[in-house]
Amino acid sequence: MNALAATNRNFRKASRILGLDSKLEKSLLIPFREIKVECTIPKDDGTLVSYIGFRVQHDNARGPMKGGIRYHPEVDHDEVNALAQLMTWKTAVADIPYGGAKGGIGCIPKDLSISELERLTRVFTQKIHDLIGINTDVPAPDMGTNSQTMAWMLDEYSKFHGHSPAIVTGKPIDLGGSLGRDAATGRGVVYATGALLAEYGKNIKDLTFVIQGFGNVGAWAAKLIHEKGGKVIAVSDITGAVKNPNGLDIAALMNHKEATGALTGFSGGDSMNSDELLTQECDVLIPCALGGVLNRENADHIKAKFIIEAANHPTDPEADEILCKKGVVILPDIYANAGGVTVSYFEWVQNIQGFMWNEEKVNMELEKYMTKAFHNLKNMCKSHNCNLRMGAFTLGVNRVARATMLRGWEA
């Protein structure tokens, strides 16, 4: 099942639990605006090449639309649509005043030079500059993009609209980026994990963790769990996997990856087959990479007691049902990885005020938001007698539906 079908299915389930009017349900599902643009750039060798860029603006009932821009060969209309919708519910779960959006360009970023990427970003921004805005739609980095991409977008947008640091988040610190933004998603995952474990009378320091994906989110989550005394016994990324039943030294592993560009060959652990990582014996499994990694083929073999969805949509609906029957507790992505968008919100607030916070304040506010969101989510689970995923979806959908109705959607 693709991401769009799965997201729609979760939305419909939540809508039934909440007893939403069928007309309102349909209205909430249809995106506010879909944009598809052609981006033609000269390559370094002088030849012209064309790419297709997308921006789906899903809902703005609760505030400006918010979501990443990804550069990836698999960027297609359905995927962008599903991720935009997911952002609508995610911002509502985190209780930040945004709606959802998502965008991207179908390209292979590693095949493009820095100057080609810059030209592509600037052309894309030129095509959509009058459809985004500080109070309309605020992009951010995603897969295949980074703070440099945001710097180019900010510069190009500002040529049309004057200096506008709040137009994008995830910027370099020197251009108004927020301290703590780099670690935000990983840190949010750790705060979310702590809140969930406390509910079961458990603590990070007493448990074992397996982390799939060692990019920004996975590496920060591993580092912070390690600092809190948790035992990270296996990690993997596209280069391979490494395990140590006594716990990996995460700082040393990060240094090794920085030096060699790969996890393999690390002296503080043994290499293992990446495919076996998900079924490794552990207390907590944290998928931080791509969607759909937990599916009906491997769900029966998962040995973790808790799964924290740091990636977007890592669990297929079929796997979800199998794991629920086994009694595995799954903390859903629309809550678990909301740390990134929460600190993006803090960055936007700082830019609008022209007053920057120190890192301590950013992290303290993030913990406050993640903890409060978890308690709101648990309350939804209790009042509707449902699992954590439906608790999160009913919380998010209910907030958006209430805002939509208060604004007068039938007029």
Side-chain angles (χ1 to χ4, degrees):
M1 186 180 285
N2 73 12
L4 184 60
T7 307
N8 285 351
R9 174 175 153 162
N10 286 329
F11 166 76
R12 291 211 165 86
K13 259 187 178 167
S15 166
R16 273 199 301 278
I17 292 171
L18 293 164
L20 291 190
D21 175 85
S22 62
K23 293 194 293 294
L24 177 61
E25 181 183 326
K26 195 174 176 194
S27 161
L28 289 176
L29 214 46
I30 299 169
F32 169 76
R33 181 191 282 141
E34 296 184 8
I35 304 155
K36 184 177 178 183
V37 294
E38 168 258 353
C39 303
T40 299
I41 59 159
K43 291 198 72 162
D44 292 343
D45 63 8
T47 58
L48 287 179
V49 59
S50 294
Y51 299 96
I52 292 175
F54 297 97
R55 185 75 176 164
V56 172
Q57 298 172 331
H58 179 257
D59 191 281
N60 60 359
R62 297 181 64 257
M65 293 164 286
K66 185 92 193 75
I69 302 268
R70 52 175 54 184
Y71 289 180
H72 192 266
E74 283 168 34
V75 168
D76 67 30
H77 175 260
D78 267 6
E79 185 199 40
V80 175
N81 224 314
L83 293 168
Q85 190 195 133
L86 217 46
M87 284 303 294
T88 298
W89 317 134
K90 186 184 292 186
T91 51
V93 168
D95 204 15
I96 52 182
Y98 284 143
K102 205 74 171 186
I105 300 175
C107 66
I108 304 172
K110 68 175 189 333
D111 292 353
L112 297 172
S113 69
I114 298 290
S115 58
E116 287 166 347
L117 283 169
E118 178 174 354
R119 287 196 288 276
L120 183 57
T121 303
R122 289 183 184 278
V123 168
F124 183 54
T125 309
Q126 286 164 19
K127 294 283 173 95
I128 65 167
H129 78 89
D130 53 350
L131 297 168
I132 60 174
I134 292 163
N135 297 307
T136 313
D137 177 3
V138 182
D142 201 303
M143 229 160 40
T145 56
N146 55 23
S147 59
Q148 179 59 70
T149 321
M150 294 304 105
W152 293 327
M153 281 195 87
L154 159 65
D155 182 69
E156 198 60 32
Y157 181 86
S158 296
K159 288 176 185 175
F160 296 96
H161 302 273
H163 184 57
S164 315
I167 183 55
V168 289
T169 58
K171 297 181 294 294
I173 303 292
D174 295 337
L175 291 175
S178 177
L179 294 168
R181 174 67 188 86
D182 190 44
T185 310
R187 191 178 292 277
V189 165
V190 176
Y191 289 150
T193 305
L196 174 69
L197 294 174
E199 196 67 23
Y200 289 85
K202 295 180 188 297
N203 197 307
I204 286 177
K205 69 175 172 23
D206 307 320
L207 302 178
T208 56
F209 295 80
V210 165
I211 297 178
Q212 189 212 24
F214 205 64
N216 172 286
V217 181
W220 272 108
K223 181 180 188 297
L224 296 166
I225 285 166
H226 185 67
E227 283 170 11
K228 284 179 182 285
K231 204 185 273 188
V232 180
I233 56 168
V235 300
S236 73
D237 68 1
I238 46 171
T239 65
V242 58
K243 67 173 176 182
N244 183 338
N246 301 316
L248 293 157
D249 179 342
I250 298 299
L253 182 60
M254 287 170 88
N255 291 338
H256 170 79
K257 190 183 170 184
E258 184 124 322
T260 65
L263 291 178
T264 45
F266 177 57
S267 57
D270 304 318
S271 279
M272 66 179 290
N273 184 336
S274 297
D275 298 337
E276 291 166 14
L277 182 103
L278 295 167
T279 55
Q280 194 72 9
E281 188 88 47
C282 65
D283 296 311
V284 185
L285 171 64
I286 311 183
C288 302
L290 290 167
V293 292
L294 301 173
N295 47 47
R296 62 165 176 249
E297 276 78 54
N298 61 13
D300 263 332
H301 310 295
I302 304 286
K303 300 180 188 74
K305 300 166 196 70
F306 298 93
I307 294 173
I308 313 291
E309 295 190 334
N312 279 324
H313 186 63
T315 316
D316 269 358
E318 293 98 332
D320 217 4
E321 281 171 23
I322 297 168
L323 292 163
C324 280
K325 284 195 184 103
K326 283 174 66 172
V328 178
V329 178
I330 303 175
L331 196 60
D333 51 1
I334 62 167
Y335 163 67
N337 65 25
V341 72
T342 304
V343 176
S344 272
Y345 163 59
F346 299 162
E347 180 179 332
W348 180 75
V349 166
Q350 292 169 73
N351 294 155
I352 287 172
Q353 290 186 330
F355 180 78
M356 305 309 281
W357 304 352
N358 62 26
E359 193 163 351
E360 197 182 345
K361 179 173 168 68
V362 173
N363 294 341
M364 188 182 76
E365 290 290 336
L366 174 61
E367 185 166 21
K368 219 186 284 180
Y369 269 78
M370 291 303 288
T371 310
K372 188 179 83 175
F374 182 75
H375 294 305
N376 290 337
L377 191 162
K378 278 305 285 186
N379 289 340
M380 281 310 247
C381 292
K382 287 187 186 114
S383 53
H384 295 296
N385 190 23
C386 58
N387 65 13
L388 290 166
R389 189 180 309 281
M390 273 307 111
F393 265 88
T394 49
L395 175 63
V397 171
N398 192 40
R399 280 184 172 148
V400 178
R402 282 214 312 258
T404 304
M405 285 163 73
L406 284 166
R407 291 181 67 148
W409 66 287
E410 287 180 302

